[in-house]
Amino acid sequence: MDERGLDRDGTIAREGALYRVPAAFVPVVDAARAHIAATFGRTRLHSAYLYGSVPRGTAIPGVSDLDLQLALHDEPTEADRADAGTIEAALDRAFPQIDGVGILLAGTRVLLSDIERHDGGFFIACLCTPLLGPDLAEELPRYRPTALLARETNGDLAQVLPRWRTKAAEATGEADRRTLSRLVGRRIVRTGFTLIMPRWGGWTSDLDQSAELFGRYYPERAEQMRVAAAAGRAPSPDPGVLGMLIHDLGPWLAAEYTAVHGEKAPRP
């Protein structure tokens, strides 16, 4: 992998690996693997993956969360979601070095579908680290930092903003605002990065680097994007921060994204 996150052939390198997991998080990953295997088994689970700061080796004890993606043989059911929630709660209680656990569920048919080729498929192939089962990346192409990839990964920000505004209005305390600001901050920064990704010609998932690279192309919005990155790392309960992200930076970014890359293809 070079300094732009690319392999020698110019395709985006897979960014995580189990050997990069920090020592403090190894017991967490081991426990997650055991819980998933015991709960889902081979009949329901095709494969499981880590993603985020833990497999990238940048996780901070007591600050970082644990992110997991499960690929199921069939489409997720309510029972699957309930079981995933039980695992999330058990891991979060058992390990103080993680600040929350998130488990995504998807069926293998969807992840390998044409419509998800440059979104869910890219996510598995480049941003996820295999933890259990066969690696779906072997059935997916290599990816380059193109406008198509930009459009299909983050070309739907305008559709997300109304849901964020509703959640912000319904937030009843600091805990709710912290949870939302982490979600919003991360998504805003990643959208800002993929906006400029084809021009920069590489890939990164690092929030600070993403914000810095974005600022080179949009200096007038650079400080707001730094605030978004800070909220994504260490969520803020300040309603002013959330308001700026949802009502100012977010709408501008959604409009600019559509103008530059177009809108994400509609999902069924």
Side-chain angles (χ1 to χ4, degrees), residues 59-114:
I60 301 171
V63 174
S64 299
D65 55 356
L66 180 71
D67 298 309
L68 297 142
Q69 167 77 63
L70 305 190
L72 305 180
H73 290 294
D74 300 308
E75 295 310 299
T77 65
E78 288 306 312
D80 293 327
R81 295 185 180 92
D83 284 343
T86 298
I87 295 172
E88 290 172 341
L91 292 172
D92 198 27
R93 284 195 307 267
F95 296 99
Q97 57 267 55
I98 52 173
D99 182 20
V101 181
I103 298 178
L104 300 178
L105 301 174
T108 55
R109 181 186 61 82
V110 170
L111 292 171
L112 296 176
S113 67
D114 289 341

Side-chain angles (χ1 to χ4, degrees), residues 75 126-127 130 210 219 229 236 267:
E75 295 310 299
C126 295
L127 308 186
S210 296
S236 169
R267 267 48 177 173

Side-chain angles (χ1 to χ4, degrees), residues 189-202:
V189 174
R190 287 167 182 155
T191 302
F193 168 71
T194 51
L195 171 62
I196 60 90
M197 172 191 65
R199 284 177 275 179
W200 182 61

Side-chain angles (χ1 to χ4, degrees), residues 129-190:
T129 297
L131 182 65
L132 276 170
D135 185 5
L136 283 174
E138 295 178 2
E139 301 181 51
L140 292 162
R142 301 302 303 271
Y143 295 87
R144 296 180 184 274
T146 63
L148 172 61
L149 183 62
R151 183 175 72 243
E152 292 306 305
T153 51
N154 288 302
D156 58 348
L157 182 62
Q159 300 173 31
V160 178
L161 286 168
R163 295 201 297 270
W164 288 349
R165 294 186 188 114
T166 299
K167 288 185 177 181
E170 294 173 349
T172 57
E174 290 191 356
D176 289 342
R177 287 194 294 272
R178 285 182 188 276
T179 299
L180 185 57
S181 69
R182 170 181 271 176
L183 170 69
V184 171
R186 291 181 178 185
R187 178 64 185 274
I188 290 283
V189 174
R190 287 167 182 155

Side-chain angles (χ1 to χ4, degrees), residues 15-18 20-22 50-58 67 127 129:
E15 61 180 15
L18 291 180
R20 293 179 183 157
V21 174
L50 294 171
Y51 69 95
S53 61
V54 171
R56 292 201 305 269
T58 59
D67 298 309
L127 308 186
T129 297

